[in-house]
């Protein structure tokens, strides 16, 4: 047997010279008695903060590496102290100085990130696993491979409300759970490259939570019309054809974005003129309905655009110089264009104005639920010119409703393709949307608003968006910039797992944060075909094997195109 480099303790061997399972108290440890099936794999040679480095035991035949209990990236190992069993995850494997000749000695180094511990009482009975470490392993302490019982204890179902979403990577017979309140109460993100399984992960997670809590309130922003198929009659699907978001629900920042846009002296002048006209029109409407409410330019009360136009005309008539009328004329032209464009009919319905805010909120936020705890807003047909305002309005209303309902109805807002409307690049617009989402990310927890961020390009998300998500589902991610961005939002204890991001298979994820008991690599449960979002890649080989009816197909496509209905 090759002697390990000094100063290693003697390693007991079986009859064939291989390292034998350690039974009873190990000579290098003052810890509790080892279990019969514990397999020693090495010893501690460095302890620093949450990181431990171990030196693997040398096998009898240096040309052969041990297979049973040999650690791999992400594997769980354990160490015994005087009062606990400490668990760690393998985050790195290395041979600092590879041998130049066959049979020469090598140092096999394993890096661990400590996860937590299970305390042991005076009778050597082991308690439940807990995060954090109170007693660290000492130099020379033996390290053991984990057993299935260890995995079952560390990844056990939490005692608080939780739902199953998959199985753990180390043993796929063991289920993986997320803690419902911590997942939703502190925001979460689902990140990964195209085709890695983000949409299915979101659908699976929402189905699991809503199956357990059927009276939930979830608003899902769907930019590609993927999810209506996945939830069937359990979801209220709002398409552009039946979307109802009247213009008077907008705050003034959103009205300005819609009717003015841009910056500069002319925009500022138009904003001042429009603000005066809007607040006067709101006061006029309230006076006619007998209301005595105090109103501001941001108060969501109805007003008539015809009153706004009339006030613009009256203001122009009072001008001393005709050339000063340019801002008024631009506003009138823009208002006329918005009202006449049928694509904006959901926001500018016509001459009649009625206060239907209660029915709109009831439908969007599912109050009462009536068997449909999820609202899916299909944004695929919303014109790009107005998409920013629509998303901003939905996000802001979610926060405001939770605020003014005094947290009576906790709600979740899921933003698919969040990098599109919460982008880091200010030149792409969506500033009002970013403000609304940032407010939810920073303050939503206090008022019962949960945020789910789904993105294939996390490095393009607005600053601070990801750092507010306390649970992250990281699927396969090959872009180096995205990987570095995700690492920057994680705690040190999870960084080792992140190195495996490029090699994850479809439907696999590294999950870290408050929503899971410990950082875990898991495989999501398989969704039945009828519950999967329509996000799969088109099959070119099948589609190109058959002819398409040219005239009928093109006519039907043109009809949907012109009607703006998919």
């Amino acid at each position: 047997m090759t002697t390990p480099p000094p100063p290693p303790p003697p390693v007991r061997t079986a009859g064939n010279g291989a390292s034998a399972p350690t039974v009873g108290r190990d000579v290098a440890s003052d810890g509790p008695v080892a279990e019969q099936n514990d397999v020693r794999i090495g010893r501690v040679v460095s302890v620093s903060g949450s990181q431990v480095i171990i030196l693997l035991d040398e096998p009898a035949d240096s040309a052969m590496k041990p297979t049973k209990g040999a650690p791999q990236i992400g594997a769980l190992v354990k160490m015994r102290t005087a009062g606990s069993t400490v668990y760690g995850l393998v985050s790195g494997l290395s041979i600092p100085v590879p041998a130049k000749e066959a049979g020469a000695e090598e140092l096999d180094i394993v890096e661990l990130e400590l996860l937590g511990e299970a305390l042991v009482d005076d009778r050597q009975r082991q308690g439940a696993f807990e995060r954090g470490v109170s007693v660290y392993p000492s130099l020379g302490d033996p390290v053991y491979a984990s057993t299935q019982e260890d995995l079952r204890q560390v990844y056990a179902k939490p005692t608080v409300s939780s739902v199953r979403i998959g199985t753990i990577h180390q043993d796929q017979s063991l289920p993986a759970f997320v803690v419902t309140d911590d997942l939703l109460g502190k925001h979460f993100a689902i990140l990964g490259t195209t085709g890695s399984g983000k949409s299915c992960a979101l659908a699976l997670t929402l189905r699991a939570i809503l199956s357990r809590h059927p009276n939930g309130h979830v608003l899902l922003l769907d930019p590609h019309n993927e999810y209506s198929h996945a939830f069937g009659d359990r979801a209220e699907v709002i398409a552009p054809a039946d979307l109802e978001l009247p213009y008077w629900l907008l705050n003034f920042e959103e009205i300005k974005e819609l009717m003015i846009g841009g910056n500069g002296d002319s925009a500022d002048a138009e904003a001042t003129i429009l603000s005066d006209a809007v607040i006067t029109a709101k006061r006029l409407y309230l006076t006619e309905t007998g209301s005595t409410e105090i109103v501001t330019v941001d108060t969501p009360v109805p007003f008539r655009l015809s009153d706004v136009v009339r006030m613009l005309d009256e203001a122009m008539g009072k001008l001393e110089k005709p050339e000063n009328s340019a801002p008024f004329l631009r506003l009138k032209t823009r208002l006329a264009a918005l009202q006449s464009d049928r694509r904006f009919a959901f926001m500018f319905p016509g001459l009649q104005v009625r206060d239907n805010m209660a029915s709109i909120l009831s439908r969007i936020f599912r109050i009462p639920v009536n068997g449909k705890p999820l609202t899916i807003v299909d944004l695929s047909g919303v014109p790009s010119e107005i998409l920013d305002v629509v998303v901003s309005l939905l996000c802001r209303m979610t926060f405001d409703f939770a605020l003014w309902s005094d947290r009576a109805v906790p709600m979740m807002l899921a933003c698919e393709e969040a990098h599109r409307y919460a982008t880091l690049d200010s030149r792409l617009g969506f500033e009002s949307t970013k403000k609304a989402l940032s407010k939810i990310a920073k303050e939503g927890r206090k008022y019962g608003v949960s945020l789910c961020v789904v993105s294939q390009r996390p490095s393009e998300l607005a600053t601070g968006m990801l750092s507010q998500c306390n649970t992250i589902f990281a699927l396969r991610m090959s872009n180096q910039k995205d990987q570095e961005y995700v690492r920057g939002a994680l705690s040190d204890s999870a960084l080792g797992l992140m190195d495996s991001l490029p090699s994850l298979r479809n439907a696999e994820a590294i999950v870290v944060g408050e929503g899971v008991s410990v950082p875990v690599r898991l495989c999501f449960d398989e969704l039945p075909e009828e519950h999967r979002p329509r996000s799969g890649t088109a099959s070119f080989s099948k589609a190109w094997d058959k002819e398409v009816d040219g005239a009928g197909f093109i006519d039907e496509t043109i009809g949907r195109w012109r009607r703006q209905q998919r």
Side-chain angles (χ1 to χ4, degrees):
M1 179 175 177
T2 304
T3 304
V11 178
R12 290 170 292 170
T13 60
N16 58 3
S19 296
T22 304
V23 182
R25 189 182 300 273
D26 193 277
V27 294
S29 172
D30 294 326
V33 176
E35 299 293 338
Q36 181 69 31
N37 57 353
D38 279 352
V39 176
R40 170 173 166 155
I41 60 173
R43 61 189 176 90
V44 175
V45 295
S46 174
V47 181
S48 176
S50 63
Q51 187 179 65
V52 171
I53 297 178
I54 69 173
L55 178 66
L56 289 184
D57 289 339
E58 187 74 19
D61 183 354
S62 60
M64 298 178 60
K65 296 299 179 185
T67 55
K68 183 178 181 181
Q72 297 180 353
I73 295 293
L76 185 73
V77 300
K78 62 185 178 183
M79 296 146 282
R80 300 188 183 279
T81 70
S84 65
T85 299
V86 178
Y87 293 94
L89 277 181
V90 175
S91 59
L93 301 170
S94 64
I95 300 176
V97 184
K100 296 182 179 179
E101 299 179 1
E105 296 181 1
E106 290 183 336
L107 300 179
D108 296 343
I109 300 298
V110 179
E111 299 174 21
L112 305 178
E113 294 289 344
L114 297 182
L115 288 181
E117 64 185 0
L119 298 178
V120 177
D121 63 17
D122 295 338
R123 299 182 181 181
Q124 301 297 301
R125 293 177 301 187
Q126 186 166 293
F129 173 82
E130 298 178 358
R131 291 288 294 271
V133 177
S134 59
V135 181
Y136 284 83
S138 301
L139 295 178
D141 281 356
V143 181
Y144 305 99
S146 61
T147 64
Q148 187 180 54
E149 184 58 35
D150 293 320
L151 293 172
R152 186 176 291 112
Q153 182 179 23
V154 172
Y155 298 106
K157 182 177 181 180
T159 56
V160 294
S161 177
S162 60
V163 294
R164 169 182 169 147
I165 59 170
T167 56
I168 68 170
H169 173 71
Q170 294 95 324
D171 186 342
Q172 296 197 9
S173 67
L174 299 178
F177 300 90
V178 292
V179 181
T180 307
D181 286 336
D182 286 337
L183 180 72
L184 300 183
K186 300 177 182 178
H187 311 315
F188 67 103
I190 300 177
L191 311 171
T193 190
T194 300
S196 59
K198 296 188 307 299
S199 300
C200 285
L202 176 60
L204 174 71
T205 304
L206 290 182
R207 289 189 67 88
I209 293 173
L210 296 177
S211 295
R212 180 74 180 271
H213 307 282
N215 291 318
H217 304 271
V218 179
L219 175 60
L220 171 58
L221 305 184
D222 183 3
H224 302 303
N225 191 24
E226 299 178 51
Y227 291 93
S228 57
H229 171 75
F231 293 93
D233 59 3
R234 297 183 64 188
E236 174 76 12
V237 180
I238 303 179
D242 59 354
L243 178 63
E244 190 176 12
L245 290 173
Y247 59 86
W248 51 263
L249 285 174
L250 304 173
N251 65 17
F252 187 70
E253 184 177 8
E254 293 157 351
I255 293 175
K256 180 181 175 182
E257 179 72 24
L258 180 64
M259 298 184 182
I260 301 174
N263 295 301
D265 295 338
S266 61
D268 292 341
E270 291 173 33
T272 302
I273 295 168
L274 183 61
S275 174
D276 293 339
V278 167
I279 196 169
T280 303
K282 287 183 177 183
R283 288 170 178 167
L284 179 61
Y285 181 88
L286 291 177
T287 301
E288 293 175 355
T289 56
S291 174
T292 59
E293 296 178 14
I294 298 176
V295 64
T296 69
V297 72
D298 290 327
T299 306
V301 297
F303 65 94
R304 287 182 288 267
L305 289 178
S306 59
D307 289 336
V308 173
V309 173
R310 179 168 54 82
M311 291 164 193
L312 293 176
D313 288 335
E314 291 177 358
M316 276 197 300
K318 298 177 182 179
L319 295 175
E320 296 180 358
K321 298 180 180 180
E323 56 267 25
N324 293 336
S325 63
F328 297 89
L329 293 174
R330 282 194 294 267
L331 285 173
K332 289 182 61 177
T333 301
R334 180 59 175 164
L335 282 172
L338 291 171
Q339 287 179 284
S340 61
D341 194 330
R342 59 183 299 180
R343 298 177 303 161
F344 305 148
F346 65 89
M347 189 165 283
F348 299 92
L351 298 177
Q352 292 287 345
V353 176
R354 59 191 181 95
D355 188 356
N356 57 342
M357 187 173 180
S359 62
I360 292 172
L361 296 179
S362 175
R363 185 187 185 197
I364 292 176
F365 299 128
R366 306 309 307 147
I367 302 173
V369 173
N370 289 333
K372 295 183 177 182
L374 172 67
T375 301
I376 301 173
V377 180
D378 174 15
L379 300 174
S380 60
V382 176
S384 58
E385 306 97 304
I386 204 172
L387 180 61
D388 179 14
V389 174
V390 171
V391 176
S392 174
L393 175 58
L394 291 170
C395 295
R396 182 181 54 79
M397 283 201 309
T398 302
F399 181 86
D400 288 347
F401 184 80
L403 171 65
W404 296 110
S405 65
D406 198 22
R407 302 194 299 181
V409 183
M411 290 177 291
M412 173 186 165
L413 174 65
C415 299
E416 174 66 87
E417 297 283 2
H419 57 275
R420 288 183 57 187
Y421 38 80
T423 175
L424 180 64
D425 191 346
S426 59
R427 295 173 298 178
L428 299 178
F430 290 89
E431 292 304 311
S432 58
T433 302
K434 284 189 280 189
K435 287 182 181 179
L437 287 174
S438 177
K439 196 168 187 178
I440 292 176
K442 294 177 181 178
E443 304 175 29
R445 179 180 60 84
K446 305 173 185 176
Y447 302 105
V449 182
S450 172
L451 177 64
C452 170
V453 175
V454 184
S455 176
Q456 60 180 288
R457 294 307 306 269
S459 61
E460 295 180 3
L461 287 170
T463 304
M465 185 67 63
L466 195 58
S467 62
Q468 299 293 331
C469 296
N470 285 1
T471 304
I472 292 180
F473 295 76
L475 289 88
R476 186 175 65 253
M477 205 174 300
S478 54
N479 184 278
Q480 185 68 26
K481 187 176 180 181
D482 290 333
Q483 293 178 36
E484 293 173 357
Y485 189 82
V486 173
R487 285 191 182 96
L490 300 177
S491 62
D492 292 341
S493 61
L495 294 181
L497 283 173
M498 290 295 128
D499 292 333
S500 60
L501 284 180
S503 60
L504 294 178
R505 296 176 295 178
N506 284 356
E508 280 191 348
I510 305 295
V511 188
V512 298
E514 300 287 341
V516 287
S517 301
V518 292
V520 59
R521 177 176 175 177
L522 59 79
C523 180
F524 287 103
D525 288 334
E526 186 173 356
L527 275 173
E529 185 63 34
E530 63 272 18
H531 295 159
R532 294 181 184 177
R534 290 176 176 167
S535 57
T537 304
S539 176
F540 286 80
S541 58
K542 291 181 180 179
W544 287 1
D545 283 343
K546 60 184 180 180
E547 182 62 272
V548 177
D549 178 16
F553 172 76
I554 290 179
D555 288 343
E556 183 180 352
T557 300
I558 292 174
R560 290 198 301 266
W561 194 344
R562 288 174 174 171
R563 294 191 304 270
Q564 294 290 298
Q565 294 179 2
R566 296 178 64 180

